[in-house]
Amino acid sequence: MAPNSGFAVLLRSPWWVSFLIGGAIVLLCAALLPAHLVPFAAAGALPIFVIGGITAWRQWRAPSRARVEAARSAAAAMPWREFAALLTRAWTAEGHTVEPLPPNIQHADLRVLRQGDAEQFVLVAARRYKAASHGVEPLRALHAQVQQQGAQAGTYVVLQGSVSEAARRFAAAHGLAILEGTALDTLLLAA
């Protein structure tokens, strides 16, 4: 689905917006069309009501903003070892095996083995999680480490600060994931 399509916008909006638009469509049909055509025309609002239901279900199941902020604040207050343990618990809960990398490997911190498969692993760079700004250099170093170790991919963790546009382009061009925002919040709450 295109990110700016009508359905995508409705999925990101509060649930009641879809129901309001669907109701407006039904009322317009009732006001402007002959009575025998109203049910057929109003059925066109059904997909919008479905989107409203999906959105309401997602928003009902989503953690509260206060809970997300509390998890972020707690993670930001943690020293590196505790934050690494938090990430380890979260990925272990998803069924992955997490191994800390030896100190001589400087640009990656954790090895995450997907569902216990020793051949499929991702290197994670999370030590700069509190940096105020994230540029290209740590991503270049992570990419070099991914190639050297023979990893499937690399993940760069960003809890605070901003990622430069050049760093985002580099990550996209070299198959690196930037773990931030909602995805990181979900992981923190899972731990």
Side-chain angles (χ1 to χ4, degrees), residues 56 58 115 128 130 143 167:
R58 282 184 181 175
Q115 303 293 334
R128 289 180 39 93
K130 291 184 184 183
H143 178 63

Side-chain angles (χ1 to χ4, degrees), residues 83-166:
F83 186 69
L86 180 72
L87 293 175
T88 299
R89 280 194 309 274
W91 280 315
T92 301
E94 290 180 355
H96 304 299
T97 303
V98 181
E99 302 170 350
L101 292 173
N104 63 334
I105 298 177
Q106 296 178 359
H107 305 296
D109 305 304
L110 302 169
R111 177 182 292 130
V112 179
L113 292 92
R114 297 181 180 178
Q115 303 293 334
D117 183 1
E119 300 298 318
Q120 300 283 322
F121 67 94
V122 173
L123 292 182
V124 178
R127 196 171 295 261
R128 289 180 39 93
Y129 67 107
K130 291 184 184 183
S133 65
H134 303 269
V136 175
E137 287 309 313
L139 288 165
R140 276 196 183 116
L142 175 61
H143 178 63
Q145 199 66 49
V146 165
Q147 289 181 322
Q148 183 181 357
Q149 297 284 325
Q152 305 313 115
T155 299
Y156 185 77
V157 179
V158 177
L159 178 66
Q160 294 176 329
S162 61
V163 180
S164 72
E165 206 49 49

